[in-house]
Amino acid sequence: MKRYWVPALERADQILTLIAYEPARNRLIDLSKQLGINKSSMFTLLNTMESLGWIVKEKDDTYSLGSSFGALGAAYFRQFNLLKFFHVEAPASTHRVGETIQFAVLEGRDIIYLAKEESPAPIRVAADPGMRFPAHATSLGKALLTQYSYEQLKQLFPEPLLEAKTPHTITQLDQLWLQLQQTYEQGYAIDEQEAVSGFFCIAAPILNHRNEIIAAVSFTMMEAAWLDKFELAKEEIVSLARRLSQRAGAMIL
Amino acid sequence: MKRYWVPALERADQILTLIAYEPARNRLIDLSKQLGINKSSMFTLLNTMESLGWIVKEKDDTYSLGSSFGALGAAYFRQFNLLKFFHVEAPASTHRVGETIQFAVLEGRDIIYLAKEESPAPIRVAADPGMRFPAHATSLGKALLTQYSYEQLKQLFPEPLLEAKTPHTITQLDQLWLQLQQTYEQGYAIDEQEAVSGFFCIAAPILNHRNEIIAAVSFTMMEAAWLDKFELAKEEIVSLARRLSQRAGAMIL
DNA sequence: CCTTTTGGTTTAATATAATAAACCAAGTTT
DNA sequence: AAACTTGGTTTATTATATTAAACCAAAAGG
């Protein structure tokens, strides 16, 4: 049993996740059955969440997310002041290279995508703001993880093997460590089909005025574009990261 | 005491609201004191919320919102498919009239702002996505409330007087009802300094294929612009609402 | 350097939440 | 038309959460 735990919050989280995944689809009895929660418990949970604005009950008795998540979601993204500047600076870089740019921060050992500037390229990875992904398997994550020492890395990844997202994903911690050192020296990180088969990414870290890594940006593209535009993408992503770092440096946090 | 209530969710909501308002500012003891929650209860609440990704603990032991709200916030806005089209259609209207456009839906007797297209006008109302405001005091709300009968209106607003946000706000239900009828007939709603002193708004409703009102859009401007551009703004907001209604009509909901 | 204060963590006793069972209304089946 | 099923709602009993008190480490004050 988990220590210092509030089971009602865990249940609410499960309910919200299901409703977020399928809004206007599930009634009380559906949620009760799918989550294995007694329907009288479900009744009081839904009643409370509805009163708090976390969910709304549709006309057909199904539930959708409520405006509290509009407000909390907006507040969450507002925590990252740099996003405004990203939206100002990124379009020029996307236009210059012709590929999608992602912006992410580190949370634990995952990256959280916070924003993206999409290019007209026909195919793109479904990484939307708010989504998370294992850091070690992405160029964004490698750029962000360079802030840790080897000891800190071992604490973050205590398991013997790292999770493989594709056959190309690094699974040995020492391998990751070597790549992080290389990333640090050269100022950018790459992942070649480590996160998603068929996709290649190059990322650069954004630093604040104390030289702390606070976020990262990356280009994502397919192999043909990768072979054709690697040098251009490298220059542009480093340049974009530098411009954003200058913006971050000017900010009073 | 509230019936069918889960106090832990209410407490979590209070904590999240405080953290959203002041991220990276409050530690456990600060939250405990401000919310009047015992610090050992606060400890288990924060521990659970942190594990669920609702909040993150910063290096100085203060708390900020966690990536779950990035994901849930994004999911909340995704529930409104029309937002994509709003972002496509609205820039032309903003450019044509030179004023900010808001997009909102009705939730109970409040409107929820979901999106806006800002103009370069120097002054604008701080109504951000996720925020709510009393419907009766806004042009957006009046456009949305026309879907109700007089009886339904009385059920929605049972108090003797409606809340006055400025000295110009309508406070009599019958007055509101007359304006809603007028709004229905002319196809647009206005509020002249009812929501915020000094600001004038004109809104039009968006309908789906079943002729149901699902959202509304509005221009907001100051008095000089209002006198100068009223006819242009009226034509453009009705036109934008019609284009979005056509988009809504084509959508399989 | 010693004492006090503060913030966070842990635990046993007390207070309260969760749920099994019952009830109810509406819809479906026979 | 009667019987049955379903989904939502209510309540008393049982299980579990909450918290007062204690503990601990670190920082502040004398």
Side-chain angles (χ1 to χ4, degrees):
Chain A
M1 172 58 83
K2 295 158 181 163
R3 292 209 294 176
Y4 319 122
W5 197 249
V6 182
L9 300 193
E10 181 175 19
R11 287 175 150 192
D13 190 70
Q14 291 172 331
I15 296 167
L16 290 167
T17 302
L18 193 56
I19 290 176
Y21 189 66
E22 300 186 281
R25 181 69 58 88
N26 292 293
R27 297 167 302 169
L28 185 159
I29 195 67
D30 303 313
L31 294 166
S32 172
K33 285 176 174 171
Q34 288 186 68
L35 298 174
I37 295 174
N38 185 284
K39 60 180 182 167
S40 47
S41 309
M42 184 61 69
F43 182 81
T44 63
L45 284 162
L46 293 177
N47 181 63
T48 308
M49 290 163 68
E50 193 180 353
S51 296
L52 296 173
W54 291 14
I55 57 178
V56 291
K57 184 189 273 191
E58 305 287 4
K59 282 162 181 161
D60 60 351
D61 284 349
T62 59
Y63 289 92
S64 300
L65 290 179
S67 63
S68 284
F69 292 106
L72 287 171
Y76 173 74
F77 288 109
R78 268 202 306 276
Q79 285 177 171
F80 306 95
N81 298 351
L82 208 49
L83 286 178
K84 291 177 184 172
F85 301 120
F86 173 78
H87 288 296
V88 167
E89 298 281 351
S93 296
T94 294
H95 189 264
R96 192 167 168 226
V97 176
E99 300 293 346
T100 292
I101 303 179
Q102 299 275 4
F103 178 107
V105 298
L106 195 65
E107 198 177 277
R109 64 195 206 184
D110 290 335
I111 59 171
I112 310 296
Y113 295 105
L114 291 185
K116 63 182 175 180
E117 184 65 34
E118 286 180 336
S119 81
I123 298 167
R124 57 179 90 106
V125 178
D128 286 322
M131 286 178 175
R132 64 193 307 136
F133 203 89
H136 69 280
T138 66
S139 63
L140 284 165
K142 291 178 194 177
L144 290 161
L145 288 169
T146 55
Q147 69 190 277
Y148 292 132
S149 67
Y150 184 77
E151 283 309 310
Q152 286 170 319
L153 213 56
K154 287 191 73 174
Q155 281 180 11
L156 209 51
F157 298 98
E159 301 87 353
L161 287 182
L162 306 175
E163 181 189 3
K165 304 300 287 185
T166 77
H168 297 86
T169 314
I170 287 175
T171 53
Q172 298 285 346
L173 192 70
D174 285 1
Q175 260 185 303
L176 177 63
W177 176 244
L178 284 175
Q179 284 207 8
L180 296 187
Q181 287 183 293
Q182 190 175 353
T183 292
Y184 182 78
E185 283 160 15
Q186 70 201 4
Y188 63 88
I190 63 175
D191 88 71
E192 295 175 309
Q193 305 195 83
E194 293 189 61
V196 181
S197 287
F199 285 87
F200 299 71
C201 309
I202 181 162
I206 300 165
L207 287 71
N208 67 9
H209 60 295
R210 286 195 287 260
N211 255 30
E212 294 163 333
I213 294 174
I214 55 174
V217 283
S218 74
F219 278 115
T220 302
M221 65 198 80
M222 302 194 75
E223 187 164 13
W226 182 252
L227 296 172
D228 189 33
K229 309 186 203 174
F230 175 77
E231 288 295 333
L232 177 66
K234 183 184 78 178
E235 287 172 21
E236 191 58 36
I237 204 68
V238 166
S239 171
L240 174 61
R242 182 175 299 130
R243 297 200 296 278
L244 293 172
S245 297
Q246 282 160 356
R247 298 273 201 170
M251 277 168 16
I252 301 161
L253 286 163
Chain B
M1 172 60 82
K2 295 157 183 163
R3 294 212 292 178
Y4 319 121
W5 199 249
V6 182
L9 299 194
E10 182 175 17
R11 288 175 148 191
D13 189 69
Q14 290 172 330
I15 295 167
L16 291 167
T17 302
L18 194 56
I19 290 175
Y21 190 66
E22 298 185 283
R25 182 66 58 85
N26 293 294
R27 296 167 301 169
L28 185 160
I29 194 69
D30 303 315
L31 294 167
S32 171
K33 284 174 174 171
Q34 288 186 66
L35 297 175
I37 296 173
N38 186 284
K39 60 179 184 167
S40 45
S41 309
M42 183 61 68
F43 182 81
T44 63
L45 285 162
L46 293 176
N47 181 64
T48 307
M49 290 163 69
E50 192 180 354
S51 297
L52 296 174
W54 292 15
I55 57 178
V56 290
K57 185 190 275 191
E58 306 286 3
K59 283 162 181 162
D60 61 351
D61 284 348
T62 59
Y63 290 92
S64 300
L65 291 179
S67 63
S68 286
F69 292 106
L72 288 171
Y76 172 73
F77 288 109
R78 268 201 307 277
Q79 285 177 171
F80 306 96
N81 298 351
L82 207 48
L83 285 177
K84 290 177 185 170
F85 302 119
F86 173 78
H87 288 297
V88 166
E89 299 281 351
S93 296
T94 294
H95 189 263
R96 192 167 169 227
V97 177
E99 301 291 347
T100 291
I101 303 178
Q102 298 277 4
F103 178 106
V105 297
L106 195 64
E107 197 177 279
R109 63 196 207 184
D110 290 334
I111 59 170
I112 309 296
Y113 294 103
L114 291 185
K116 64 182 173 180
E117 185 65 35
E118 286 179 337
S119 80
I123 297 166
R124 56 180 90 105
V125 178
D128 288 321
M131 286 176 174
R132 64 195 305 137
F133 203 89
H136 70 278
T138 66
S139 62
L140 284 165
K142 291 178 193 177
L144 290 161
L145 288 170
T146 56
Q147 68 190 277
Y148 292 132
S149 67
Y150 184 77
E151 284 308 311
Q152 286 170 319
L153 213 57
K154 287 189 72 171
Q155 280 180 11
L156 208 51
F157 298 97
E159 300 87 354
L161 287 182
L162 305 175
E163 182 188 3
K165 304 300 287 185
T166 77
H168 298 88
T169 315
I170 289 173
T171 53
Q172 299 285 349
L173 192 69
D174 286 1
Q175 261 185 302
L176 178 63
W177 174 245
L178 282 176
Q179 284 207 8
L180 296 188
Q181 288 183 294
Q182 192 175 350
T183 294
Y184 181 78
E185 282 161 15
Q186 69 201 4
Y188 62 88
I190 63 176
D191 89 72
E192 294 174 309
Q193 305 195 83
E194 292 191 60
V196 181
S197 289
F199 285 88
F200 298 73
C201 308
I202 182 164
I206 300 165
L207 286 72
N208 67 9
H209 61 295
R210 285 193 289 257
N211 254 31
E212 293 163 334
I213 294 174
I214 55 174
V217 284
S218 74
F219 279 115
T220 302
M221 65 198 79
M222 303 194 74
E223 187 164 12
W226 182 253
L227 295 173
D228 189 33
K229 310 185 203 174
F230 174 78
E231 288 294 333
L232 177 65
K234 183 184 79 177
E235 287 173 22
E236 191 57 35
I237 205 67
V238 166
S239 172
L240 174 61
R242 182 175 299 131
R243 296 202 296 279
L244 292 172
S245 297
Q246 281 159 358
R247 298 272 202 173
M251 276 169 15
I252 301 160
L253 287 163

